[in-house]
Amino acid sequence: MAVVDSMDIYMVIQQLYPSFSKKEQLVANYILQEGQSINNMNISVLANHVGVSNGTITHFCKKIGCNNFAELKVQLGRLRTATAPSAEDNILIQVSKFYQTVIERSNQLLDITYLHRLAEAIKSAARIYIYGIGSSGLSAKEMMLRLLRMGFNVQSITDSHLMLINSSIVNENDFVIAISSSGETSVIVDATRIAKNNGCKVICLTSFSESTLAQQVDSFILVSNTLFVDKERFVNSQFSVMYAIDILCMILLADPDLNSRMQITVNTILEHNRMD
């Protein structure tokens, strides 16, 4: 596979990540988090740092579209310096850099034209169900609240049993949005497969286009995986998901009718608070 022109090498690695062997994933993890430091290494030094053979790194390079390790270094050198903050940066700068990196990587993956089409599909759905487990369940609830305030018939489902029950009774008039960064959460994969078998339209938000989930739904929204920015300190695994949801909601609120409904809910809440 050749390196995609509109996507930097980090995003190419993320998209191919599920297809890597365990040892290749070790190489990928190191590059995604410490990529700029590789410019000062030869292949043997990198192999020693990661704990793999030189041959594994060579095979990894070819898998991501680079002819050899030298070409990988060239690709990395083209990117601006240091996505990861230095130890000297204060905590505000560190967090700011983390968010900036996640947004920049997400922008490479998000297709604004598709998000506009998705907004139209949401508006035409009789019922909308948003699936998510764990942290993704929190994003599902937040997305539900936003759509509910625009007047949609929407429900978030974050319990695995309820999710399977719901997926068994949806139909072609319904719309399922599944959230799973890995795209491998078993109950999400099972529930979306059942929903599709019932004729329901299913899309997902995920970090991997080659994941089981992405491959079986009607279409997917790709977002940056924040674990590849800094898995030790950056704990907001849902930031890139919420960033995509923010964009989608802004597209929806460009519709005067939906915007008017949102303002009605805002005014209702404000009026209730004044009465209290």
Side-chain angles (χ1 to χ4, degrees):
M1 172 187 173
V3 175
V4 180
D5 290 340
S6 61
M7 191 180 295
D8 72 37
I9 194 69
Y10 292 120
M11 291 296 91
V12 173
I13 293 171
Q14 177 180 306
Q15 289 313 295
L16 293 176
Y17 192 86
S19 69
F20 295 152
S21 68
K22 294 297 184 183
K23 289 186 177 181
E24 289 169 345
Q25 287 182 356
L26 293 176
V27 179
N29 291 341
Y30 191 91
I31 292 173
L32 287 165
Q33 295 185 34
E34 306 289 344
Q36 294 300 322
S37 67
I38 291 174
N39 288 326
N40 299 318
M41 296 181 183
N42 60 41
I43 191 170
S44 296
V45 172
L46 176 60
N48 183 61
H49 272 288
V50 178
V52 300
S53 68
N54 289 13
T56 295
I57 294 176
T58 298
H59 188 264
F60 172 85
C61 292
K62 293 182 181 299
K63 207 165 187 176
I64 63 173
C66 296
N67 292 320
N68 48 45
F69 181 61
E71 186 174 334
L72 170 61
K73 292 172 66 174
V74 170
Q75 291 286 345
L76 292 170
R78 290 174 179 170
L79 304 177
R80 67 183 182 81
T81 305
T83 55
S86 68
E88 289 74 25
D89 291 331
N90 66 42
I91 192 66
L92 295 177
I93 294 175
Q94 290 182 46
V95 174
S96 176
K97 287 185 176 180
F98 290 146
Y99 278 109
Q100 183 180 9
T101 299
V102 174
I103 289 174
E104 289 176 352
R105 293 184 181 180
S106 290
N107 284 345
Q108 294 183 55
L109 298 172
L110 290 170
D111 183 341
I112 193 66
T113 301
Y114 171 70
L115 289 176
H116 277 278
R117 292 201 303 269
L118 174 57
E120 293 303 313
I122 288 175
K123 287 191 281 187
S124 64
R127 292 169 296 273
I128 303 165
Y129 300 101
I130 310 172
Y131 295 170
I133 296 292
S135 295
S136 294
L138 298 177
S139 295
K141 290 180 179 180
E142 175 64 23
M143 188 176 190
M144 178 203 71
L145 290 172
R146 297 189 188 195
L147 295 182
L148 187 65
R149 291 175 66 180
M150 297 180 207
F152 289 103
N153 183 353
V154 56
Q155 179 180 354
S156 64
I157 302 179
T158 59
D159 177 87
S160 59
H161 290 159
L162 293 179
M163 195 178 296
L164 292 172
I165 291 171
N166 175 263
S167 67
S168 68
I169 59 176
V170 293
N171 59 45
E172 65 276 4
N173 298 315
D174 299 325
F175 196 90
V176 167
I177 302 172
I179 303 175
S180 173
S181 294
S182 69
E184 301 296 341
T185 307
S186 59
V187 67
I188 299 285
V189 170
D190 292 341
T192 52
R193 183 180 65 252
I194 294 169
K196 269 189 60 63
N197 287 341
N198 285 332
C200 181
K201 175 79 171 180
V202 182
I203 69 105
C204 73
L205 284 85
T206 185
S207 294
F208 304 110
S209 59
E210 299 301 316
S211 64
T212 304
L213 180 62
Q215 290 298 302
Q216 74 176 22
V217 298
D218 294 297
S219 55
F220 49 81
I221 300 171
L222 289 178
V223 295
S224 173
N225 192 306
T226 57
L227 293 178
F228 292 147
V229 177
D230 190 319
K231 67 179 180 180
E232 300 297 332
R233 295 178 294 170
F234 194 73
V235 296
N236 188 349
S237 65
Q238 295 298 300
F239 176 66
S240 57
V241 172
M242 287 310 307
Y243 178 64
I245 291 173
D246 281 340
I247 296 172
L248 178 61
C249 287
M250 288 192 70
I251 293 172
L252 287 168
L253 287 171
D255 183 311
D257 184 45
L258 296 180
N259 196 295
S260 176
R261 294 180 193 177
M262 173 70 85
Q263 294 309 311
I264 289 172
T265 64
V266 170
N267 292 335
T268 299
I269 293 171
L270 291 175
E271 181 64 28
H272 182 269
N273 289 339
R274 281 196 292 268
M275 294 175 62
D276 288 344

